[in-house]
Amino acid sequence: DTEVTQTPKHLVMGMTNKKSLKCEQHMGHRAMYWYKQKAKKPPELMFVYSYEKLSINESVPSRFSPECPNSSLLNLHLHALQPEDSALYLCASSQDGGLAGDTDTQYFGPGTRLTVL
Amino acid sequence: AQKVTQAQTEISVVEKEDVTLDCVYETRDTTYYLFWYKQPPSGELVFLIRRNSFDEQNEISGRYSWNFQKSTSSFNFTITASQVVDSAVYFCALWYLDSNYQLIWGAGTKLIIKP
């Protein structure tokens, strides 16, 4: 079962709000990813967690704060966002993220469409 | 430099026609993987295929087929007898040995299948 779930599906927030996006997978994958996707563009990698440790932070502003409470869950905490942060936020997971000089397929969730007013 | 080019921004065909989506990649690495993903209007990226650089066999899965040619650095995707449900944006992506989790994405091709 290649399923990654994300909540909420849609989120509208003001620039002073604090909100969180949630992602869950039950495939036993040990790598989890956050991507941001603007309209008509490919996804841009934001963060990677491998074995529950932050492995990559692609110079993302501190108003985005990731958290990996356990191997199945990934959160993205949002605070003081800007209107230009409005986008589709995608979560993905893979077996182990390519620790052995190989790579695994990333499986994506349905995304959260975020609008910042 | 590592790069993926999907030169076709948008393709529109009538249902039941065959359609080929082009993907050209650049990498100096000899070990790499190529992927195709489908993104319907709902937004989810759906994995279609993964191919490593040492396996040049073409792949067929139902109406979908992929042609991997290292000589031309291409990994093209053909849909036979297209259906309206095939309408989506299709992304080609490259992973190479030193990419550190990163997928290098093409710009995507929007495929419109008209009934």
Side-chain angles (χ1 to χ4, degrees), chain B residues 8-39:
Chain B
Q8 304 148 310
T9 305
E10 184 173 304
I11 301 174
S12 180
V13 301
V14 176
E15 199 172 21
K16 298 195 175 78
E17 286 185 20
D18 298 348
V19 57
T20 295
L21 282 62
D22 297 333
C23 173
V24 174
Y25 62 93
E26 293 176 35
T27 179
R28 284 189 295 268
D29 284 44
T30 55
T31 300
Y32 55 90
Y33 285 81
L34 294 161
F35 298 82
W36 276 96
Y37 283 88
K38 172 184 180 180
Q39 189 171 39

mmCIF file of all heavy atoms in Angstrom, chain B residues 8-39:
data_model
loop_
_atom_site.group_PDB
_atom_site.id
_atom_site.type_symbol
_atom_site.label_atom_id
_atom_site.label_comp_id
_atom_site.label_asym_id
_atom_site.label_seq_id
_atom_site.Cartn_x
_atom_site.Cartn_y
_atom_site.Cartn_z
ATOM 1 N N GLN B 8 8.287 20.013 -24.442
ATOM 2 C CA GLN B 8 6.865 20.194 -24.753
ATOM 3 C C GLN B 8 6.157 20.759 -23.527
ATOM 4 O O GLN B 8 5.984 20.065 -22.525
ATOM 5 C CB GLN B 8 6.226 18.864 -25.149
ATOM 6 C CG GLN B 8 6.903 18.168 -26.311
ATOM 7 C CD GLN B 8 6.792 16.647 -26.161
ATOM 8 O OE1 GLN B 8 7.112 16.105 -25.107
ATOM 9 N NE2 GLN B 8 6.367 15.967 -27.204
ATOM 10 N N THR B 9 5.733 22.007 -23.620
ATOM 11 C CA THR B 9 5.044 22.617 -22.490
ATOM 12 C C THR B 9 3.627 22.052 -22.360
ATOM 13 O O THR B 9 3.160 21.764 -21.267
ATOM 14 C CB THR B 9 4.971 24.136 -22.677
ATOM 15 O OG1 THR B 9 6.282 24.625 -22.874
ATOM 16 C CG2 THR B 9 4.349 24.808 -21.468
ATOM 17 N N GLU B 10 2.972 21.921 -23.504
ATOM 18 C CA GLU B 10 1.585 21.444 -23.506
ATOM 19 C C GLU B 10 1.330 20.668 -24.787
ATOM 20 O O GLU B 10 1.788 21.056 -25.862
ATOM 21 C CB GLU B 10 0.630 22.634 -23.406
ATOM 22 C CG GLU B 10 -0.837 22.250 -23.298
ATOM 23 C CD GLU B 10 -1.738 23.447 -23.039
ATOM 24 O OE1 GLU B 10 -1.519 24.179 -22.059
ATOM 25 O OE2 GLU B 10 -2.687 23.639 -23.832
ATOM 26 N N ILE B 11 0.626 19.545 -24.624
ATOM 27 C CA ILE B 11 0.229 18.734 -25.779
ATOM 28 C C ILE B 11 -1.261 18.487 -25.672
ATOM 29 O O ILE B 11 -1.762 18.148 -24.593
ATOM 30 C CB ILE B 11 0.955 17.370 -25.796
ATOM 31 C CG1 ILE B 11 2.470 17.548 -25.843
ATOM 32 C CG2 ILE B 11 0.484 16.530 -26.974
ATOM 33 C CD1 ILE B 11 3.239 16.238 -25.717
ATOM 34 N N SER B 12 -1.949 18.638 -26.792
ATOM 35 C CA SER B 12 -3.384 18.389 -26.810
ATOM 36 C C SER B 12 -3.687 17.392 -27.934
ATOM 37 O O SER B 12 -3.289 17.619 -29.075
ATOM 38 C CB SER B 12 -4.141 19.705 -27.048
ATOM 39 O OG SER B 12 -5.528 19.481 -27.062
ATOM 40 N N VAL B 13 -4.346 16.302 -27.594
ATOM 41 C CA VAL B 13 -4.713 15.296 -28.582
ATOM 42 C C VAL B 13 -6.157 14.882 -28.343
ATOM 43 O O VAL B 13 -6.729 15.120 -27.271
ATOM 44 C CB VAL B 13 -3.794 14.052 -28.522
ATOM 45 C CG1 VAL B 13 -2.341 14.449 -28.771
ATOM 46 C CG2 VAL B 13 -3.945 13.315 -27.215
ATOM 47 N N VAL B 14 -6.703 14.230 -29.344
ATOM 48 C CA VAL B 14 -8.058 13.694 -29.212
ATOM 49 C C VAL B 14 -7.964 12.284 -28.653
ATOM 50 O O VAL B 14 -7.023 11.537 -28.946
ATOM 51 C CB VAL B 14 -8.777 13.699 -30.575
ATOM 52 C CG1 VAL B 14 -10.155 13.057 -30.474
ATOM 53 C CG2 VAL B 14 -8.883 15.121 -31.114
ATOM 54 N N GLU B 15 -8.932 11.948 -27.857
ATOM 55 C CA GLU B 15 -8.970 10.614 -27.235
ATOM 56 C C GLU B 15 -8.717 9.522 -28.275
ATOM 57 O O GLU B 15 -9.134 9.628 -29.431
ATOM 58 C CB GLU B 15 -10.338 10.414 -26.592
ATOM 59 C CG GLU B 15 -10.385 9.327 -25.554
ATOM 60 C CD GLU B 15 -11.707 9.298 -24.800
ATOM 61 O OE1 GLU B 15 -12.705 9.839 -25.330
ATOM 62 O OE2 GLU B 15 -11.738 8.741 -23.694
ATOM 63 N N LYS B 16 -8.012 8.501 -27.842
ATOM 64 C CA LYS B 16 -7.634 7.315 -28.625
ATOM 65 C C LYS B 16 -6.381 7.538 -29.468
ATOM 66 O O LYS B 16 -5.856 6.561 -30.024
ATOM 67 C CB LYS B 16 -8.769 6.807 -29.518
ATOM 68 C CG LYS B 16 -10.005 6.345 -28.762
ATOM 69 C CD LYS B 16 -10.930 5.535 -29.642
ATOM 70 C CE LYS B 16 -12.092 4.973 -28.864
ATOM 71 N NZ LYS B 16 -13.147 5.909 -28.566
ATOM 72 N N GLU B 17 -5.915 8.754 -29.568
ATOM 73 C CA GLU B 17 -4.646 8.968 -30.265
ATOM 74 C C GLU B 17 -3.491 8.523 -29.386
ATOM 75 O O GLU B 17 -3.589 8.510 -28.154
ATOM 76 C CB GLU B 17 -4.459 10.453 -30.615
ATOM 77 C CG GLU B 17 -5.312 10.951 -31.750
ATOM 78 C CD GLU B 17 -4.992 12.392 -32.107
ATOM 79 O OE1 GLU B 17 -3.896 12.866 -31.756
ATOM 80 O OE2 GLU B 17 -5.846 13.046 -32.722
ATOM 81 N N ASP B 18 -2.382 8.167 -30.023
ATOM 82 C CA ASP B 18 -1.150 7.887 -29.283
ATOM 83 C C ASP B 18 -0.407 9.205 -29.090
ATOM 84 O O ASP B 18 -0.459 10.095 -29.948
ATOM 85 C CB ASP B 18 -0.261 6.918 -30.070
ATOM 86 C CG ASP B 18 -0.922 5.568 -30.305
ATOM 87 O OD1 ASP B 18 -1.968 5.292 -29.679
ATOM 88 O OD2 ASP B 18 -0.383 4.794 -31.117
ATOM 89 N N VAL B 19 0.301 9.300 -27.967
ATOM 90 C CA VAL B 19 1.030 10.541 -27.705
ATOM 91 C C VAL B 19 2.347 10.208 -27.009
ATOM 92 O O VAL B 19 2.404 9.300 -26.171
ATOM 93 C CB VAL B 19 0.187 11.512 -26.854
ATOM 94 C CG1 VAL B 19 -0.239 10.883 -25.543
ATOM 95 C CG2 VAL B 19 0.882 12.835 -26.645
ATOM 96 N N THR B 20 3.394 10.919 -27.398
ATOM 97 C CA THR B 20 4.717 10.710 -26.797
ATOM 98 C C THR B 20 5.181 11.980 -26.112
ATOM 99 O O THR B 20 5.167 13.056 -26.715
ATOM 100 C CB THR B 20 5.749 10.281 -27.853
ATOM 101 O OG1 THR B 20 5.380 9.002 -28.377
ATOM 102 C CG2 THR B 20 7.142 10.167 -27.229
ATOM 103 N N LEU B 21 5.597 11.825 -24.858
ATOM 104 C CA LEU B 21 6.141 12.933 -24.082
ATOM 105 C C LEU B 21 7.665 12.757 -24.032
ATOM 106 O O LEU B 21 8.159 11.684 -23.670
ATOM 107 C CB LEU B 21 5.569 12.924 -22.666
ATOM 108 C CG LEU B 21 4.154 13.453 -22.466
ATOM 109 C CD1 LEU B 21 3.127 12.641 -23.235
ATOM 110 C CD2 LEU B 21 3.791 13.478 -20.989
ATOM 111 N N ASP B 22 8.360 13.827 -24.379
ATOM 112 C CA ASP B 22 9.817 13.742 -24.476
ATOM 113 C C ASP B 22 10.492 14.159 -23.173
ATOM 114 O O ASP B 22 10.030 15.068 -22.481
ATOM 115 C CB ASP B 22 10.326 14.644 -25.600
ATOM 116 C CG ASP B 22 9.811 14.224 -26.964
ATOM 117 O OD1 ASP B 22 9.513 13.022 -27.144
ATOM 118 O OD2 ASP B 22 9.704 15.103 -27.843
ATOM 119 N N CYS B 23 11.607 13.497 -22.881
ATOM 120 C CA CYS B 23 12.428 13.853 -21.730
ATOM 121 C C CYS B 23 13.886 13.666 -22.124
ATOM 122 O O CYS B 23 14.287 12.568 -22.519
ATOM 123 C CB CYS B 23 12.096 12.977 -20.528
ATOM 124 S SG CYS B 23 13.192 13.213 -19.106
ATOM 125 N N VAL B 24 14.646 14.734 -22.029
ATOM 126 C CA VAL B 24 16.080 14.684 -22.315
ATOM 127 C C VAL B 24 16.818 15.089 -21.056
ATOM 128 O O VAL B 24 16.455 16.072 -20.402
ATOM 129 C CB VAL B 24 16.447 15.625 -23.482
ATOM 130 C CG1 VAL B 24 17.955 15.666 -23.679
ATOM 131 C CG2 VAL B 24 15.757 15.172 -24.764
ATOM 132 N N TYR B 25 17.840 14.331 -20.707
ATOM 133 C CA TYR B 25 18.536 14.611 -19.452
ATOM 134 C C TYR B 25 20.025 14.825 -19.693
ATOM 135 O O TYR B 25 20.557 14.413 -20.730
ATOM 136 C CB TYR B 25 18.326 13.461 -18.455
ATOM 137 C CG TYR B 25 18.886 12.149 -18.924
ATOM 138 C CD1 TYR B 25 20.181 11.754 -18.581
ATOM 139 C CD2 TYR B 25 18.123 11.298 -19.727
ATOM 140 C CE1 TYR B 25 20.697 10.559 -19.035
ATOM 141 C CE2 TYR B 25 18.635 10.098 -20.188
ATOM 142 C CZ TYR B 25 19.919 9.734 -19.835
ATOM 143 O OH TYR B 25 20.431 8.546 -20.296
ATOM 144 N N GLU B 26 20.649 15.495 -18.739
ATOM 145 C CA GLU B 26 22.098 15.703 -18.777
ATOM 146 C C GLU B 26 22.666 15.338 -17.427
ATOM 147 O O GLU B 26 22.187 15.808 -16.386
ATOM 148 C CB GLU B 26 22.437 17.185 -19.039
ATOM 149 C CG GLU B 26 22.071 17.717 -20.401
ATOM 150 C CD GLU B 26 22.362 19.202 -20.509
ATOM 151 O OE1 GLU B 26 23.364 19.657 -19.908
ATOM 152 O OE2 GLU B 26 21.595 19.912 -21.185
ATOM 153 N N THR B 27 23.688 14.506 -17.440
ATOM 154 C CA THR B 27 24.421 14.201 -16.217
ATOM 155 C C THR B 27 25.780 13.649 -16.584
ATOM 156 O O THR B 27 25.923 12.952 -17.594
ATOM 157 C CB THR B 27 23.659 13.195 -15.332
ATOM 158 O OG1 THR B 27 24.445 12.914 -14.163
ATOM 159 C CG2 THR B 27 23.357 11.893 -16.053
ATOM 160 N N ARG B 28 26.771 13.931 -15.742
ATOM 161 C CA ARG B 28 28.116 13.370 -15.977
ATOM 162 C C ARG B 28 28.251 12.032 -15.246
ATOM 163 O O ARG B 28 29.176 11.283 -15.494
ATOM 164 C CB ARG B 28 29.172 14.338 -15.461
ATOM 165 C CG ARG B 28 29.402 15.537 -16.366
ATOM 166 C CD ARG B 28 30.607 16.320 -15.896
ATOM 167 N NE ARG B 28 30.363 16.906 -14.586
ATOM 168 C CZ ARG B 28 29.876 18.124 -14.402
ATOM 169 N NH1 ARG B 28 29.591 18.879 -15.444
ATOM 170 N NH2 ARG B 28 29.679 18.607 -13.192
ATOM 171 N N ASP B 29 27.333 11.748 -14.323
ATOM 172 C CA ASP B 29 27.422 10.520 -13.558
ATOM 173 C C ASP B 29 27.070 9.315 -14.416
ATOM 174 O O ASP B 29 26.215 9.394 -15.306
ATOM 175 C CB ASP B 29 26.468 10.568 -12.363
ATOM 176 C CG ASP B 29 26.995 11.439 -11.249
ATOM 177 O OD1 ASP B 29 27.492 12.537 -11.556
ATOM 178 O OD2 ASP B 29 26.914 11.027 -10.087
ATOM 179 N N THR B 30 27.708 8.196 -14.126
ATOM 180 C CA THR B 30 27.363 6.967 -14.839
ATOM 181 C C THR B 30 26.270 6.205 -14.099
ATOM 182 O O THR B 30 25.610 5.355 -14.676
ATOM 183 C CB THR B 30 28.598 6.060 -14.987
ATOM 184 O OG1 THR B 30 29.154 5.833 -13.691
ATOM 185 C CG2 THR B 30 29.629 6.710 -15.894
ATOM 186 N N THR B 31 26.099 6.528 -12.812
ATOM 187 C CA THR B 31 25.024 5.914 -12.027
ATOM 188 C C THR B 31 23.946 6.951 -11.780
ATOM 189 O O THR B 31 24.190 7.973 -11.130
ATOM 190 C CB THR B 31 25.551 5.403 -10.676
ATOM 191 O OG1 THR B 31 26.559 4.434 -10.897
ATOM 192 C CG2 THR B 31 24.403 4.777 -9.887
ATOM 193 N N TYR B 32 22.792 6.695 -12.308
ATOM 194 C CA TYR B 32 21.687 7.631 -12.129
ATOM 195 C C TYR B 32 20.374 6.892 -12.335
ATOM 196 O O TYR B 32 20.345 5.756 -12.817
ATOM 197 C CB TYR B 32 21.786 8.833 -13.078
ATOM 198 C CG TYR B 32 21.903 8.499 -14.547
ATOM 199 C CD1 TYR B 32 20.757 8.362 -15.334
ATOM 200 C CD2 TYR B 32 23.143 8.340 -15.144
ATOM 201 C CE1 TYR B 32 20.865 8.048 -16.683
ATOM 202 C CE2 TYR B 32 23.256 8.034 -16.496
ATOM 203 C CZ TYR B 32 22.124 7.893 -17.259
ATOM 204 O OH TYR B 32 22.227 7.589 -18.593
ATOM 205 N N TYR B 33 19.300 7.546 -11.901
ATOM 206 C CA TYR B 33 17.960 7.002 -12.055
ATOM 207 C C TYR B 33 17.082 8.046 -12.727
ATOM 208 O O TYR B 33 17.246 9.249 -12.518
ATOM 209 C CB TYR B 33 17.343 6.646 -10.701
ATOM 210 C CG TYR B 33 17.894 5.387 -10.088
ATOM 211 C CD1 TYR B 33 19.099 5.403 -9.402
ATOM 212 C CD2 TYR B 33 17.205 4.183 -10.179
ATOM 213 C CE1 TYR B 33 19.614 4.257 -8.831
ATOM 214 C CE2 TYR B 33 17.711 3.028 -9.612
ATOM 215 C CZ TYR B 33 18.917 3.073 -8.943
ATOM 216 O OH TYR B 33 19.416 1.936 -8.384
ATOM 217 N N LEU B 34 16.153 7.568 -13.496
ATOM 218 C CA LEU B 34 15.173 8.438 -14.136
ATOM 219 C C LEU B 34 13.779 8.027 -13.701
ATOM 220 O O LEU B 34 13.500 6.835 -13.512
ATOM 221 C CB LEU B 34 15.299 8.334 -15.663
ATOM 222 C CG LEU B 34 16.619 8.860 -16.223
ATOM 223 C CD1 LEU B 34 16.866 8.332 -17.615
ATOM 224 C CD2 LEU B 34 16.629 10.390 -16.215
ATOM 225 N N PHE B 35 12.936 9.012 -13.531
ATOM 226 C CA PHE B 35 11.575 8.773 -13.049
ATOM 227 C C PHE B 35 10.584 9.523 -13.937
ATOM 228 O O PHE B 35 10.893 10.556 -14.517
ATOM 229 C CB PHE B 35 11.404 9.323 -11.617
ATOM 230 C CG PHE B 35 12.273 8.683 -10.586
ATOM 231 C CD1 PHE B 35 13.594 9.077 -10.424
ATOM 232 C CD2 PHE B 35 11.769 7.697 -9.757
ATOM 233 C CE1 PHE B 35 14.401 8.494 -9.455
ATOM 234 C CE2 PHE B 35 12.564 7.115 -8.781
ATOM 235 C CZ PHE B 35 13.878 7.508 -8.636
ATOM 236 N N TRP B 36 9.376 8.985 -13.972
ATOM 237 C CA TRP B 36 8.227 9.729 -14.496
ATOM 238 C C TRP B 36 7.158 9.742 -13.416
ATOM 239 O O TRP B 36 6.883 8.711 -12.780
ATOM 240 C CB TRP B 36 7.649 9.074 -15.752
ATOM 241 C CG TRP B 36 8.346 9.456 -17.015
ATOM 242 C CD1 TRP B 36 9.344 8.786 -17.659
ATOM 243 C CD2 TRP B 36 8.086 10.620 -17.814
ATOM 244 N NE1 TRP B 36 9.723 9.453 -18.804
ATOM 245 C CE2 TRP B 36 8.965 10.577 -18.924
ATOM 246 C CE3 TRP B 36 7.189 11.691 -17.718
ATOM 247 C CZ2 TRP B 36 8.975 11.559 -19.910
ATOM 248 C CZ3 TRP B 36 7.195 12.663 -18.698
ATOM 249 C CH2 TRP B 36 8.089 12.600 -19.783
ATOM 250 N N TYR B 37 6.579 10.934 -13.233
ATOM 251 C CA TYR B 37 5.447 11.103 -12.323
ATOM 252 C C TYR B 37 4.304 11.764 -13.084
ATOM 253 O O TYR B 37 4.518 12.580 -13.976
ATOM 254 C CB TYR B 37 5.829 12.020 -11.145
ATOM 255 C CG TYR B 37 6.667 11.377 -10.078
ATOM 256 C CD1 TYR B 37 8.052 11.359 -10.168
ATOM 257 C CD2 TYR B 37 6.073 10.795 -8.960
ATOM 258 C CE1 TYR B 37 8.836 10.784 -9.176
ATOM 259 C CE2 TYR B 37 6.838 10.219 -7.959
ATOM 260 C CZ TYR B 37 8.213 10.207 -8.073
ATOM 261 O OH TYR B 37 8.970 9.630 -7.086
ATOM 262 N N LYS B 38 3.102 11.435 -12.655
ATOM 263 C CA LYS B 38 1.885 12.045 -13.209
ATOM 264 C C LYS B 38 1.242 12.902 -12.129
ATOM 265 O O LYS B 38 1.119 12.465 -10.972
ATOM 266 C CB LYS B 38 0.913 10.943 -13.635
ATOM 267 C CG LYS B 38 -0.467 11.412 -14.049
ATOM 268 C CD LYS B 38 -1.375 10.225 -14.366
ATOM 269 C CE LYS B 38 -2.758 10.674 -14.770
ATOM 270 N NZ LYS B 38 -3.653 9.524 -15.081
ATOM 271 N N GLN B 39 0.836 14.123 -12.487
ATOM 272 C CA GLN B 39 0.148 14.983 -11.537
ATOM 273 C C GLN B 39 -1.186 15.416 -12.127
ATOM 274 O O GLN B 39 -1.265 16.353 -12.913
ATOM 275 C CB GLN B 39 0.987 16.209 -11.164
ATOM 276 C CG GLN B 39 0.401 17.009 -10.009
ATOM 277 C CD GLN B 39 1.336 18.093 -9.505
ATOM 278 O OE1 GLN B 39 2.019 18.759 -10.270
ATOM 279 N NE2 GLN B 39 1.370 18.280 -8.189
#
